[in-house]
């Protein structure tokens, strides 16, 4: 019986350890911060700045799973609602965002672009910073954009 349990645990290990498997980090760590320190921030659009302003105004609000505002947000709900205020309809989930938007290389990331991790998104606000609904403990925060896997831009931008 004990051998059967052990075999079952061993069979599940690849599933548990592979949550982020298959996702490559296309953006080098600290690339956006280093670029900002070098003074190389690309210009953005007024619609993107509208999304940035909305997301920034939500800093301090609590995180809630499935939240799209006005009292609380989850990560994709914050991004979706911020871009909705700028007139852009985005998919609701992090996976759908990655599958339907234009991917942006690190050198082209500008304020308003969506920073992506497996299962998480945030909005790049410029100069090496981002806003995201981080988790239940922290809520919506402004923090350094030091290690996103990828970046995406809404198609209308």
């Amino acid at each position: 019986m004990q051998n059967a349990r052990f075999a079952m645990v061993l069979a599940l290990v690849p599933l548990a350890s592979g949550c982020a498997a298959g996702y490559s980090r296309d953006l080098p760590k600290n690339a956006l911060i280093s670029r900002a320190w070098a003074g190389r921030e690309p210009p953005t659009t007024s619609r993107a700045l509208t999304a940035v302003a909305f997301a920034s105004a939500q800093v301090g609000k609590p995180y809630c799973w499935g939240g799209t505002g006005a009292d609380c947000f989850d990560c994709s709900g914050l991004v979706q609602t911020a871009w909705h205020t700028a007139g852009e309809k985005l998919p609701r989930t992090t996976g759908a965002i990655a599958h339907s938007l234009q991917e942006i290389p690190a050198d082209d990331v500008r304020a308003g672009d969506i920073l992506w991790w497996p299962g998480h998104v945030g909005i790049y606000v410029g100069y090496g910073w981002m806003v995201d609904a981080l988790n239940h403990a922290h809520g919506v925060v402004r923090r350094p954009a030091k290690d996103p896997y990828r970046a995406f831009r809404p198609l209308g931008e």
Side-chain angles (χ1 to χ4, degrees):
M1 184 69 163
Q2 219 171 7
N3 286 341
R5 283 188 203 145
F6 183 71
M8 186 183 308
V9 169
L10 283 179
L12 294 175
V13 167
L15 296 174
S17 64
C19 288
Y23 295 109
S24 64
R25 181 181 298 279
D26 291 343
L27 298 180
K29 284 191 171 192
N30 297 318
L32 300 175
I33 294 171
S34 297
R35 186 187 71 184
W37 286 350
R40 296 190 322 261
E41 282 294 304
T44 194
T45 66
S46 61
R47 283 179 8 119
L49 289 176
T50 298
V52 166
F54 177 88
S56 296
Q58 309 316 305
V59 170
K61 288 192 177 177
Y63 176 98
C64 62
W65 187 83
T68 57
D71 295 328
C72 63
F73 294 90
D74 70 6
C75 66
S76 56
L78 176 66
V79 167
Q80 182 187 46
T81 305
W83 271 101
H84 180 76
T85 64
E88 185 76 29
K89 184 177 169 102
L90 293 185
R92 177 62 182 97
T93 65
T94 60
I97 286 169
H99 285 97
S100 64
L101 300 183
Q102 174 185 357
E103 188 165 358
I104 305 299
D107 288 343
D108 294 336
V109 174
R110 63 187 189 202
D113 287 343
I114 299 164
L115 303 181
W116 185 91
W117 294 259
H120 188 70
V121 289
I123 293 182
Y124 184 65
V125 298
Y127 302 100
W129 292 89
M130 64 177 284
V131 169
D132 64 331
L134 185 56
N135 56 34
H136 287 286
H138 297 94
V140 180
V141 296
R142 184 176 189 260
R143 64 186 177 118
K146 65 184 196 173
D147 65 348
Y149 276 51
R150 300 162 76 191
F152 295 92
R153 183 171 296 149
L155 299 174
E157 289 298 297

